[in-house]
Amino acid sequence: MSRRRQPIIPSARKRTLKQDLSNIIRGSHRIYENRTPIQLLIIASYMNRLKFIETINAQVRWDEKHCKFSPGVLAQLLVLLPFVSALRKIPLSRIHEAYSGIDLELLVGEPIDPLELNDDLFARLLDRLYEADCSKLLVSISFSVRLTFNLPENIVLHSDTTSHVLYGDYIPDEGTIPPISITYGFSKQKRNDLKQIQTGMVTDGDGLILFSCPLDGNKADCTYNNEVILRLKEIYGPEFSKYIYIADSKLLTKPNFDSFTQSVHPIRFISKIPENFHKKIAEKVRVQAFEEDRWVSLGHCCNHPDPTNSSEYSVFTKNVSVYGHPCYVHLFLTSDGEKKTQKAIEKAESSLKDLVDALLKKEFACEPDAIAEINRFKKEHSADLVNAILTVQKIETWKRGRGRPGKNAKPPVLVVTWKIVTEGIQRNEPKIDEKRRKASTFALLTNIPPDDLSSQNILLHYKGQIKVEHNFMLLKEPLVAATIFLEKPERIMALMTMLYFSVLMHGILRVITHIELEKCETPPKINSNNRPLVRPNSDTIIWILSLFTLVSGEDGYHIESKMSDRKGQISTLFQLTRFDLDFI
């Protein structure tokens, strides 16, 4: 006897849902609600405090009578675009889709139907932004950030470059000189098969962008540093001398050094010393430091040290003269140098083993040829951390004719060959000691006297270079500028400037949140899985904010949470991000 299945009685909630869907399908019910992600609301309030729209409108050429939307409004929408979704790339032709269902009046101060946002509008905007001098637009706003948000002064400047790959040939029109050269160069994304441009960026000690500009795809870092130093001199004037300019080893060239020192107000700098700089001064100081063994312990030299993971540092400081100017070498010794050395030895052993295996398969007609090959191999790998112990072995083989021997068969012939055999691999102790010294030490050069800035602060300032790298990571997120598809170099430069503004907003959000978190007696438990929120990066903060949506409709406004256990956290988030309703 078969059991008949009982009909499922729908709940009241499902019956209501079915009725609403049926009405929507028949067109008898319309949805009037807009849903605006909270992170967009907060970033828009930051931009309004900076008077972003007004500044763009004042500096960009436009006709108020003939333009439906001001360039400032369209530019603000471009800057906000990366905060809509970080999961996909949004081309200019589909911006209206990205903003669909979002209350744009809350973001730019005037009602806009997303369907009116087309790629022609933004293409013309990029042309106008380029005409207005993109880097000038950025500086006019970035230099007001600390005053606008009441942030403490910071005299540290971090500078670095990165590359952006582009698809296409990008052949300039005949008789025209493009503003930047889209060409092949050293790709930091390991895509040497594609043309590229670069970004040069200067941030303060908190990672807030101060100056940034697109560069030629093959621009050398040493040339960039020289050019940006001259630009910063123009921007800061005599006050530039109170700042500390920090960059990687490409900074230390004779022309750049002259830019620092040959002026009424010398520029203070910190940089890692290249091995071949100024008659190998870093190696000379390194040898002296290990000979004298007068290291000064600094302990865990971090702003927020973790004894279980942080390295310990010691320092050896020496006064030197570089191109006739007094400077100071700070040679730092790290506790993780032995780990790096051991990994290098293991890698060298693995590589040498493969080469030796190939060598052992060779045969030689005479002993001198085999010995010559051994000598060649040893000479080629004399600087390796490990060496192979190689000898020559004589091989005697009786060679007989093929097939069954006949009556008058030739006697067997003794064939003598020579092969190379190995008796193992031995450590090259002198090279290992040299590697250990280099792996466990690095040298920084500065013109700041130790009495004015201690070795520990020199190291902490240089470690801050990671903040520029973090900005580059944001700049290359899938949505933003991992690859660029615009055709005109002028529009590429303008779009990159809007993306620099987006990264600046990331920095403002992070810095403000960190300051407010330090005021809390205990970190609020609003991180993932309700863990304590401690020094979050901007991506983490935006992820938490994205869990909340401002719903606006005919019945007014209310905030919804995607997770029921987080409904009470929105007030804490508004406090941590300094959200101000007066700027919406």
Side-chain angles (χ1 to χ4, degrees), residues 392-428:
V392 174
Q393 184 180 61
K394 182 179 180 181
I395 306 296
E396 295 182 348
T397 305
W398 289 96
K399 186 175 181 181
R400 304 177 183 276
R402 294 183 179 180
R404 180 178 296 179
K407 292 182 178 180
N408 300 319
K410 295 181 180 180
V413 177
L414 180 62
V415 178
V416 179
T417 58
W418 300 84
K419 295 190 67 174
I420 298 175
V421 296
T422 178
E423 298 178 2
I425 294 176
Q426 63 182 5
R427 293 161 57 98
N428 189 346

mmCIF file of all heavy atoms in Angstrom, residues 392-428:
data_model
loop_
_atom_site.group_PDB
_atom_site.id
_atom_site.type_symbol
_atom_site.label_atom_id
_atom_site.label_comp_id
_atom_site.label_asym_id
_atom_site.label_seq_id
_atom_site.Cartn_x
_atom_site.Cartn_y
_atom_site.Cartn_z
ATOM 1 N N VAL A 392 87.200 12.323 -11.076
ATOM 2 C CA VAL A 392 87.109 11.660 -12.382
ATOM 3 C C VAL A 392 87.234 10.152 -12.186
ATOM 4 O O VAL A 392 88.068 9.676 -11.406
ATOM 5 C CB VAL A 392 88.209 12.171 -13.331
ATOM 6 C CG1 VAL A 392 88.202 11.386 -14.629
ATOM 7 C CG2 VAL A 392 88.014 13.652 -13.614
ATOM 8 N N GLN A 393 86.421 9.424 -12.891
ATOM 9 C CA GLN A 393 86.460 7.954 -12.801
ATOM 10 C C GLN A 393 86.642 7.356 -14.194
ATOM 11 O O GLN A 393 85.999 7.771 -15.151
ATOM 12 C CB GLN A 393 85.159 7.436 -12.178
ATOM 13 C CG GLN A 393 85.147 5.927 -11.954
ATOM 14 C CD GLN A 393 83.853 5.470 -11.344
ATOM 15 O OE1 GLN A 393 82.792 5.640 -11.926
ATOM 16 N NE2 GLN A 393 83.937 4.905 -10.151
ATOM 17 N N LYS A 394 87.568 6.393 -14.265
ATOM 18 C CA LYS A 394 87.847 5.717 -15.538
ATOM 19 C C LYS A 394 86.886 4.542 -15.707
ATOM 20 O O LYS A 394 86.724 3.723 -14.808
ATOM 21 C CB LYS A 394 89.297 5.218 -15.541
ATOM 22 C CG LYS A 394 89.725 4.531 -16.824
ATOM 23 C CD LYS A 394 91.186 4.100 -16.714
ATOM 24 C CE LYS A 394 91.646 3.403 -17.987
ATOM 25 N NZ LYS A 394 93.061 2.955 -17.872
ATOM 26 N N ILE A 395 86.274 4.470 -16.903
ATOM 27 C CA ILE A 395 85.327 3.396 -17.199
ATOM 28 C C ILE A 395 85.872 2.565 -18.364
ATOM 29 O O ILE A 395 86.127 3.110 -19.448
ATOM 30 C CB ILE A 395 83.934 3.956 -17.564
ATOM 31 C CG1 ILE A 395 83.431 4.905 -16.474
ATOM 32 C CG2 ILE A 395 82.944 2.837 -17.805
ATOM 33 C CD1 ILE A 395 83.189 4.246 -15.147
ATOM 34 N N GLU A 396 86.087 1.245 -18.124
ATOM 35 C CA GLU A 396 86.573 0.336 -19.185
ATOM 36 C C GLU A 396 85.448 -0.600 -19.590
ATOM 37 O O GLU A 396 84.845 -1.271 -18.750
ATOM 38 C CB GLU A 396 87.773 -0.461 -18.695
ATOM 39 C CG GLU A 396 88.996 0.400 -18.403
ATOM 40 C CD GLU A 396 90.191 -0.437 -17.970
ATOM 41 O OE1 GLU A 396 89.986 -1.651 -17.681
ATOM 42 O OE2 GLU A 396 91.314 0.085 -17.919
ATOM 43 N N THR A 397 85.217 -0.632 -20.898
ATOM 44 C CA THR A 397 84.127 -1.466 -21.418
ATOM 45 C C THR A 397 84.622 -2.231 -22.635
ATOM 46 O O THR A 397 85.248 -1.653 -23.545
ATOM 47 C CB THR A 397 82.925 -0.588 -21.818
ATOM 48 O OG1 THR A 397 82.541 0.217 -20.706
ATOM 49 C CG2 THR A 397 81.749 -1.435 -22.246
ATOM 50 N N TRP A 398 84.389 -3.562 -22.640
ATOM 51 C CA TRP A 398 84.728 -4.390 -23.812
ATOM 52 C C TRP A 398 83.584 -4.317 -24.802
ATOM 53 O O TRP A 398 82.458 -4.655 -24.502
ATOM 54 C CB TRP A 398 84.986 -5.837 -23.399
ATOM 55 C CG TRP A 398 86.268 -6.007 -22.629
ATOM 56 C CD1 TRP A 398 86.417 -6.048 -21.296
ATOM 57 C CD2 TRP A 398 87.555 -6.126 -23.202
ATOM 58 N NE1 TRP A 398 87.731 -6.191 -20.957
ATOM 59 C CE2 TRP A 398 88.460 -6.252 -22.122
ATOM 60 C CE3 TRP A 398 88.061 -6.145 -24.516
ATOM 61 C CZ2 TRP A 398 89.838 -6.388 -22.320
ATOM 62 C CZ3 TRP A 398 89.416 -6.297 -24.702
ATOM 63 C CH2 TRP A 398 90.295 -6.405 -23.603
ATOM 64 N N LYS A 399 83.919 -3.861 -26.005
ATOM 65 C CA LYS A 399 82.910 -3.689 -27.032
ATOM 66 C C LYS A 399 83.021 -4.801 -28.058
ATOM 67 O O LYS A 399 84.068 -4.992 -28.666
ATOM 68 C CB LYS A 399 83.085 -2.338 -27.715
ATOM 69 C CG LYS A 399 81.968 -2.013 -28.705
ATOM 70 C CD LYS A 399 82.124 -0.607 -29.264
ATOM 71 C CE LYS A 399 81.000 -0.272 -30.221
ATOM 72 N NZ LYS A 399 81.140 1.087 -30.790
ATOM 73 N N ARG A 400 81.969 -5.549 -28.242
ATOM 74 C CA ARG A 400 81.946 -6.665 -29.183
ATOM 75 C C ARG A 400 81.058 -6.316 -30.374
ATOM 76 O O ARG A 400 80.229 -5.427 -30.295
ATOM 77 C CB ARG A 400 81.419 -7.941 -28.505
ATOM 78 C CG ARG A 400 82.203 -8.323 -27.250
ATOM 79 C CD ARG A 400 81.598 -9.545 -26.582
ATOM 80 N NE ARG A 400 82.294 -9.877 -25.348
ATOM 81 C CZ ARG A 400 83.410 -10.604 -25.281
ATOM 82 N NH1 ARG A 400 83.945 -11.092 -26.399
ATOM 83 N NH2 ARG A 400 83.982 -10.858 -24.117
ATOM 84 N N GLY A 401 81.242 -7.054 -31.474
ATOM 85 C CA GLY A 401 80.414 -6.834 -32.650
ATOM 86 C C GLY A 401 78.987 -7.261 -32.406
ATOM 87 O O GLY A 401 78.694 -8.051 -31.501
ATOM 88 N N ARG A 402 78.090 -6.796 -33.243
ATOM 89 C CA ARG A 402 76.680 -7.124 -33.087
ATOM 90 C C ARG A 402 76.396 -8.535 -33.592
ATOM 91 O O ARG A 402 77.062 -9.044 -34.478
ATOM 92 C CB ARG A 402 75.828 -6.129 -33.856
ATOM 93 C CG ARG A 402 75.889 -4.716 -33.300
ATOM 94 C CD ARG A 402 74.965 -3.806 -34.077
ATOM 95 N NE ARG A 402 74.986 -2.454 -33.561
ATOM 96 C CZ ARG A 402 74.260 -1.451 -34.052
ATOM 97 N NH1 ARG A 402 73.462 -1.682 -35.100
ATOM 98 N NH2 ARG A 402 74.334 -0.251 -33.525
ATOM 99 N N GLY A 403 75.363 -9.103 -33.034
ATOM 100 C CA GLY A 403 74.906 -10.418 -33.475
ATOM 101 C C GLY A 403 75.809 -11.560 -32.995
ATOM 102 O O GLY A 403 76.729 -11.371 -32.195
ATOM 103 N N ARG A 404 75.544 -12.788 -33.579
ATOM 104 C CA ARG A 404 76.321 -13.971 -33.197
ATOM 105 C C ARG A 404 77.695 -13.915 -33.859
ATOM 106 O O ARG A 404 77.798 -13.638 -35.055
ATOM 107 C CB ARG A 404 75.593 -15.235 -33.656
ATOM 108 C CG ARG A 404 76.335 -16.512 -33.300
ATOM 109 C CD ARG A 404 75.552 -17.721 -33.726
ATOM 110 N NE ARG A 404 74.284 -17.785 -32.977
ATOM 111 C CZ ARG A 404 73.368 -18.728 -33.150
ATOM 112 N NH1 ARG A 404 73.576 -19.645 -34.084
ATOM 113 N NH2 ARG A 404 72.267 -18.731 -32.439
ATOM 114 N N PRO A 405 78.756 -14.167 -33.108
ATOM 115 C CA PRO A 405 80.118 -14.094 -33.674
ATOM 116 C C PRO A 405 80.305 -15.114 -34.811
ATOM 117 O O PRO A 405 79.860 -16.262 -34.722
ATOM 118 C CB PRO A 405 81.019 -14.409 -32.494
ATOM 119 C CG PRO A 405 80.179 -14.165 -31.271
ATOM 120 C CD PRO A 405 78.784 -14.485 -31.664
ATOM 121 N N GLY A 406 80.963 -14.704 -35.904
ATOM 122 C CA GLY A 406 81.270 -15.614 -37.016
ATOM 123 C C GLY A 406 82.576 -16.375 -36.772
ATOM 124 O O GLY A 406 83.200 -16.255 -35.706
ATOM 125 N N LYS A 407 82.992 -17.140 -37.812
ATOM 126 C CA LYS A 407 84.225 -17.921 -37.652
ATOM 127 C C LYS A 407 85.433 -17.001 -37.521
ATOM 128 O O LYS A 407 86.355 -17.287 -36.762
ATOM 129 C CB LYS A 407 84.406 -18.855 -38.864
ATOM 130 C CG LYS A 407 83.371 -19.960 -38.936
ATOM 131 C CD LYS A 407 83.635 -20.862 -40.133
ATOM 132 C CE LYS A 407 82.634 -21.998 -40.199
ATOM 133 N NZ LYS A 407 82.894 -22.891 -41.370
ATOM 134 N N ASN A 408 85.433 -15.964 -38.309
ATOM 135 C CA ASN A 408 86.572 -15.037 -38.277
ATOM 136 C C ASN A 408 86.186 -13.708 -37.600
ATOM 137 O O ASN A 408 86.513 -12.634 -38.087
ATOM 138 C CB ASN A 408 87.070 -14.774 -39.688
ATOM 139 C CG ASN A 408 87.536 -16.056 -40.375
ATOM 140 O OD1 ASN A 408 88.187 -16.881 -39.751
ATOM 141 N ND2 ASN A 408 87.172 -16.210 -41.649
ATOM 142 N N ALA A 409 85.483 -13.808 -36.521
ATOM 143 C CA ALA A 409 85.005 -12.608 -35.829
ATOM 144 C C ALA A 409 86.171 -11.792 -35.265
ATOM 145 O O ALA A 409 87.183 -12.346 -34.846
ATOM 146 C CB ALA A 409 84.062 -12.995 -34.697
ATOM 147 N N LYS A 410 85.949 -10.489 -35.274
ATOM 148 C CA LYS A 410 86.959 -9.598 -34.710
ATOM 149 C C LYS A 410 86.955 -9.724 -33.187
ATOM 150 O O LYS A 410 85.915 -9.902 -32.556
ATOM 151 C CB LYS A 410 86.677 -8.158 -35.100
ATOM 152 C CG LYS A 410 86.803 -7.891 -36.598
ATOM 153 C CD LYS A 410 86.523 -6.423 -36.903
ATOM 154 C CE LYS A 410 86.647 -6.143 -38.390
ATOM 155 N NZ LYS A 410 86.372 -4.715 -38.712
ATOM 156 N N PRO A 411 88.141 -9.648 -32.629
ATOM 157 C CA PRO A 411 88.211 -9.751 -31.159
ATOM 158 C C PRO A 411 87.566 -8.516 -30.519
ATOM 159 O O PRO A 411 87.482 -7.440 -31.113
ATOM 160 C CB PRO A 411 89.707 -9.793 -30.878
ATOM 161 C CG PRO A 411 90.325 -9.112 -32.040
ATOM 162 C CD PRO A 411 89.465 -9.454 -33.217
ATOM 163 N N PRO A 412 87.101 -8.663 -29.275
ATOM 164 C CA PRO A 412 86.509 -7.515 -28.567
ATOM 165 C C PRO A 412 87.519 -6.379 -28.440
ATOM 166 O O PRO A 412 88.721 -6.605 -28.334
ATOM 167 C CB PRO A 412 86.125 -8.072 -27.198
ATOM 168 C CG PRO A 412 86.290 -9.545 -27.274
ATOM 169 C CD PRO A 412 87.121 -9.877 -28.455
ATOM 170 N N VAL A 413 86.980 -5.161 -28.438
ATOM 171 C CA VAL A 413 87.824 -3.972 -28.322
ATOM 172 C C VAL A 413 87.582 -3.327 -26.948
ATOM 173 O O VAL A 413 86.448 -3.152 -26.518
ATOM 174 C CB VAL A 413 87.508 -2.966 -29.436
ATOM 175 C CG1 VAL A 413 88.337 -1.695 -29.289
ATOM 176 C CG2 VAL A 413 87.739 -3.601 -30.802
ATOM 177 N N LEU A 414 88.670 -2.994 -26.298
ATOM 178 C CA LEU A 414 88.567 -2.337 -25.000
ATOM 179 C C LEU A 414 88.339 -0.828 -25.227
ATOM 180 O O LEU A 414 89.176 -0.146 -25.813
ATOM 181 C CB LEU A 414 89.843 -2.544 -24.175
ATOM 182 C CG LEU A 414 89.858 -1.882 -22.782
ATOM 183 C CD1 LEU A 414 88.759 -2.461 -21.891
ATOM 184 C CD2 LEU A 414 91.225 -2.033 -22.124
ATOM 185 N N VAL A 415 87.194 -0.343 -24.755
ATOM 186 C CA VAL A 415 86.845 1.076 -24.887
ATOM 187 C C VAL A 415 86.978 1.747 -23.514
ATOM 188 O O VAL A 415 86.383 1.303 -22.532
ATOM 189 C CB VAL A 415 85.407 1.269 -25.410
ATOM 190 C CG1 VAL A 415 85.057 2.759 -25.493
ATOM 191 C CG2 VAL A 415 85.256 0.605 -26.767
ATOM 192 N N VAL A 416 87.764 2.794 -23.491
ATOM 193 C CA VAL A 416 88.005 3.519 -22.232
ATOM 194 C C VAL A 416 87.333 4.896 -22.319
ATOM 195 O O VAL A 416 87.593 5.656 -23.253
ATOM 196 C CB VAL A 416 89.509 3.688 -21.951
ATOM 197 C CG1 VAL A 416 89.724 4.474 -20.658
ATOM 198 C CG2 VAL A 416 90.184 2.327 -21.876
ATOM 199 N N THR A 417 86.453 5.181 -21.365
ATOM 200 C CA THR A 417 85.823 6.506 -21.259
ATOM 201 C C THR A 417 86.004 7.032 -19.839
ATOM 202 O O THR A 417 86.406 6.292 -18.933
ATOM 203 C CB THR A 417 84.324 6.437 -21.591
ATOM 204 O OG1 THR A 417 83.681 5.502 -20.702
ATOM 205 C CG2 THR A 417 84.099 5.996 -23.037
ATOM 206 N N TRP A 418 85.685 8.315 -19.700
ATOM 207 C CA TRP A 418 85.852 8.961 -18.386
ATOM 208 C C TRP A 418 84.548 9.640 -18.000
ATOM 209 O O TRP A 418 83.874 10.256 -18.818
ATOM 210 C CB TRP A 418 86.990 9.988 -18.435
ATOM 211 C CG TRP A 418 88.317 9.355 -18.816
ATOM 212 C CD1 TRP A 418 88.766 9.091 -20.065
ATOM 213 C CD2 TRP A 418 89.312 8.891 -17.917
ATOM 214 N NE1 TRP A 418 89.992 8.498 -20.034
ATOM 215 C CE2 TRP A 418 90.361 8.360 -18.703
ATOM 216 C CE3 TRP A 418 89.446 8.880 -16.521
ATOM 217 C CZ2 TRP A 418 91.511 7.819 -18.146
ATOM 218 C CZ3 TRP A 418 90.591 8.355 -15.973
ATOM 219 C CH2 TRP A 418 91.607 7.838 -16.777
ATOM 220 N N LYS A 419 84.203 9.475 -16.730
ATOM 221 C CA LYS A 419 82.991 10.096 -16.210
ATOM 222 C C LYS A 419 83.323 10.885 -14.948
ATOM 223 O O LYS A 419 84.352 10.655 -14.303
ATOM 224 C CB LYS A 419 81.937 9.027 -15.878
ATOM 225 C CG LYS A 419 81.417 8.272 -17.083
ATOM 226 C CD LYS A 419 80.212 7.416 -16.715
ATOM 227 C CE LYS A 419 79.020 8.278 -16.347
ATOM 228 N NZ LYS A 419 77.798 7.478 -16.120
ATOM 229 N N ILE A 420 82.432 11.801 -14.638
ATOM 230 C CA ILE A 420 82.576 12.588 -13.408
ATOM 231 C C ILE A 420 81.682 11.973 -12.343
ATOM 232 O O ILE A 420 80.511 11.655 -12.601
ATOM 233 C CB ILE A 420 82.183 14.053 -13.652
ATOM 234 C CG1 ILE A 420 83.106 14.687 -14.688
ATOM 235 C CG2 ILE A 420 82.205 14.866 -12.354
ATOM 236 C CD1 ILE A 420 82.714 16.095 -15.088
ATOM 237 N N VAL A 421 82.216 11.781 -11.181
ATOM 238 C CA VAL A 421 81.452 11.253 -10.048
ATOM 239 C C VAL A 421 81.536 12.260 -8.904
ATOM 240 O O VAL A 421 82.467 13.069 -8.822
ATOM 241 C CB VAL A 421 81.969 9.879 -9.602
ATOM 242 C CG1 VAL A 421 81.776 8.844 -10.700
ATOM 243 C CG2 VAL A 421 83.429 9.944 -9.202
ATOM 244 N N THR A 422 80.551 12.202 -8.047
ATOM 245 C CA THR A 422 80.514 13.126 -6.907
ATOM 246 C C THR A 422 80.656 12.368 -5.596
ATOM 247 O O THR A 422 80.159 11.244 -5.452
ATOM 248 C CB THR A 422 79.203 13.934 -6.890
ATOM 249 O OG1 THR A 422 79.193 14.788 -5.754
ATOM 250 C CG2 THR A 422 77.984 13.030 -6.844
ATOM 251 N N GLU A 423 81.347 12.975 -4.682
ATOM 252 C CA GLU A 423 81.509 12.410 -3.344
ATOM 253 C C GLU A 423 80.691 13.177 -2.317
ATOM 254 O O GLU A 423 80.905 13.061 -1.109
ATOM 255 C CB GLU A 423 82.992 12.433 -2.956
ATOM 256 C CG GLU A 423 83.859 11.573 -3.883
ATOM 257 C CD GLU A 423 85.336 11.648 -3.508
ATOM 258 O OE1 GLU A 423 85.663 12.344 -2.509
ATOM 259 O OE2 GLU A 423 86.149 11.027 -4.209
ATOM 260 N N GLY A 424 79.741 13.979 -2.808
ATOM 261 C CA GLY A 424 78.870 14.715 -1.897
ATOM 262 C C GLY A 424 78.943 16.215 -2.120
ATOM 263 O O GLY A 424 79.591 16.705 -3.050
ATOM 264 N N ILE A 425 78.247 16.958 -1.276
ATOM 265 C CA ILE A 425 78.192 18.409 -1.332
ATOM 266 C C ILE A 425 78.704 18.979 -0.018
ATOM 267 O O ILE A 425 78.336 18.508 1.055
ATOM 268 C CB ILE A 425 76.748 18.899 -1.599
ATOM 269 C CG1 ILE A 425 76.298 18.467 -3.003
ATOM 270 C CG2 ILE A 425 76.630 20.403 -1.456
ATOM 271 C CD1 ILE A 425 74.864 18.827 -3.327
ATOM 272 N N GLN A 426 79.571 19.965 -0.103
ATOM 273 C CA GLN A 426 80.123 20.575 1.102
ATOM 274 C C GLN A 426 79.743 22.055 1.176
ATOM 275 O O GLN A 426 79.506 22.701 0.164
ATOM 276 C CB GLN A 426 81.646 20.444 1.130
ATOM 277 C CG GLN A 426 82.358 21.163 -0.007
ATOM 278 C CD GLN A 426 83.856 20.976 0.027
ATOM 279 O OE1 GLN A 426 84.377 20.231 0.860
ATOM 280 N NE2 GLN A 426 84.568 21.646 -0.865
ATOM 281 N N ARG A 427 79.676 22.562 2.384
ATOM 282 C CA ARG A 427 79.322 23.964 2.609
ATOM 283 C C ARG A 427 80.506 24.876 2.306
ATOM 284 O O ARG A 427 81.638 24.551 2.641
ATOM 285 C CB ARG A 427 78.878 24.165 4.069
ATOM 286 C CG ARG A 427 77.580 23.468 4.405
ATOM 287 C CD ARG A 427 77.423 23.286 5.913
ATOM 288 N NE ARG A 427 77.489 24.529 6.644
ATOM 289 C CZ ARG A 427 76.438 25.239 7.066
ATOM 290 N NH1 ARG A 427 75.223 24.783 6.798
ATOM 291 N NH2 ARG A 427 76.583 26.356 7.749
ATOM 292 N N ASN A 428 80.204 25.993 1.682
ATOM 293 C CA ASN A 428 81.225 27.003 1.409
ATOM 294 C C ASN A 428 81.165 28.022 2.548
ATOM 295 O O ASN A 428 80.485 29.048 2.458
ATOM 296 C CB ASN A 428 80.936 27.670 0.051
ATOM 297 C CG ASN A 428 82.059 28.582 -0.404
ATOM 298 O OD1 ASN A 428 82.935 28.942 0.372
ATOM 299 N ND2 ASN A 428 82.038 28.961 -1.674
#
